[in-house]
Amino acid sequence: LPMSSRINMEELFTSNRMLRLRQLMNHPLLINEKGDSAKYAECDTILEEILVDPEAKVVIWTEFRAAVDLLYERYKDEYGAVKIYGGVDNVALSRIKQQFEEEDRPRIAVCIPAKAGTGVDFLARARTAIYLDRPHSFTNLKQSLDRIHRRVAGEKRSKLDIIRSKPATVIFLDVVASVDELIRERSFQKQKLVDALTVSDEKLIQLGRSDILRYLGRAA
C-alpha cells in the first residue's frame, strides 16, 4: 500500500480501538461482553444519595445510544426516567419537557450530548449532571454543561425558578489509568486553547467563541 493508505489504515485502527475501549469503560455489554459496569454501580450510589431529596432530578450523559437504553431500563422503575437521543422528535421532546419540569416523575433524564446538548433547556430542572462518558467533542461537552447552567435572574417567581437558580453539580465518572484520562486531558487542552485565543487575539475574538468551539469540536 502507498504510505498515505497505510497511515489511513493505522488511524482507522486506532480510532476503532479507542471507540471499543470507551464502550468497555461504559459497560461490557456495549461490546457484547459479560459483566457489570463499575461506573453503573457508582452511579447507583450517587443517585441514592441525591434523590433522597424529593425535589432532586438528575441528568445522565453518555455518548452511546445502547448505553441510553441500558441506563433507562436500570432506573425507570425505581425513579422514573426519560431518554433523549437522535431518534426523539420535537413532539416527544415537548412531552418530555412537560413531564420533567412539572411532574414528580421522571426524576432522571438519560441523554446523548449530540442530541440534548443544544436547545433542551428544560434539563436545567435537574441540578446534577453525571457523565458516564466525557464527550469526545469539546463543543458537545461545553454545550451539555450549559444545559444545567443557572439561567434564572432577578426575582424568583415560581417554584421552578427557585429550583433552577440553585447551584449545579457536575460529576464525571472517569476510570483511572484508562482512555477516560486521555479524553479528559484533551478536553483540558482544548479549554486552555479556547481561553487563550479568545482573550489574546483580537481577530479570533471577532471570529467568535462559537466558531472556535465548532472547529475544536471537529478536532481530534
Side-chain angles (χ1 to χ4, degrees):
L1 289 175
M3 178 64 70
S4 59
S5 297
R6 289 202 298 271
I7 293 173
N8 290 338
M9 289 294 290
E10 289 172 1
E11 290 177 350
L12 180 62
F13 174 77
T14 301
S15 177
N16 288 338
R17 185 176 182 183
M18 179 173 287
L19 174 61
R20 289 181 65 81
L21 285 172
R22 297 195 73 201
Q23 290 172 324
L24 178 62
M25 292 299 98
N26 182 294
H27 199 293
L29 288 177
L30 270 60
I31 59 170
N32 298 317
E33 295 287 344
K34 296 180 180 179
D36 202 357
S37 165
K39 288 189 177 183
Y40 284 41
E42 181 65 18
C43 193
D44 291 346
T45 301
I46 294 170
L47 291 174
E48 288 176 7
E49 295 174 356
I50 293 171
L51 297 180
V52 70
D53 177 355
E55 290 189 345
K57 295 197 176 190
V58 176
V59 181
I60 300 176
W61 295 101
T62 177
E63 291 261 76
F64 305 110
R65 173 66 176 83
V68 171
D69 291 332
L70 288 176
L71 292 160
Y72 173 80
E73 292 296 329
R74 192 178 186 99
Y75 298 126
K76 67 175 183 177
D77 292 333
E78 184 172 2
Y79 301 116
V82 294
K83 47 187 177 179
I84 303 176
Y85 54 92
V88 178
D89 60 26
N90 290 335
V91 174
L93 272 180
S94 179
R95 183 175 64 253
I96 292 172
K97 168 182 168 64
Q98 181 178 2
Q99 292 175 333
F100 201 70
E101 285 193 330
E102 301 176 9
E103 301 176 14
D104 293 337
R105 290 167 65 97
R107 305 191 67 193
I108 295 172
V110 186
C111 310
I112 290 179
K115 171 63 178 181
T118 58
V120 190
D121 291 338
F122 65 81
L123 292 178
R125 168 62 179 81
R127 307 313 306 141
T128 302
I130 302 173
Y131 285 80
L132 270 292
D133 325 288
R134 192 183 299 263
H136 191 272
S137 163
F138 182 69
T139 303
N140 287 344
L141 173 61
K142 296 294 291 183
Q143 290 175 341
S144 63
L145 286 169
D146 283 345
R147 290 318 96 208
I148 66 167
H149 188 273
R150 287 182 291 176
R151 299 173 183 275
V152 180
E155 183 181 356
K156 312 302 184 294
R157 298 182 178 275
S158 68
K159 179 179 178 180
L160 181 58
D161 286 344
I162 294 171
I163 292 173
R164 287 164 62 104
S165 68
K166 294 179 180 179
T169 299
V170 178
I171 301 170
F172 293 97
L173 298 183
D174 293 333
V175 175
V176 176
S178 77
V179 67
D180 287 346
E181 292 193 341
L182 173 61
I183 301 300
R184 181 182 64 190
E185 181 59 31
R186 286 183 175 180
S187 293
F188 288 157
Q189 291 173 352
K190 291 176 181 179
Q191 179 65 66
K192 291 177 182 178
L193 180 58
V194 169
D195 291 342
L197 292 178
T198 54
V199 169
S200 62
D201 192 314
E202 291 183 359
K203 291 182 179 180
L204 285 169
I205 292 174
Q206 293 174 2
L207 175 63
R209 185 181 180 87
S210 62
D211 292 322
I212 296 171
L213 288 176
R214 266 200 306 275
Y215 169 76
L216 288 174
R218 294 193 297 268

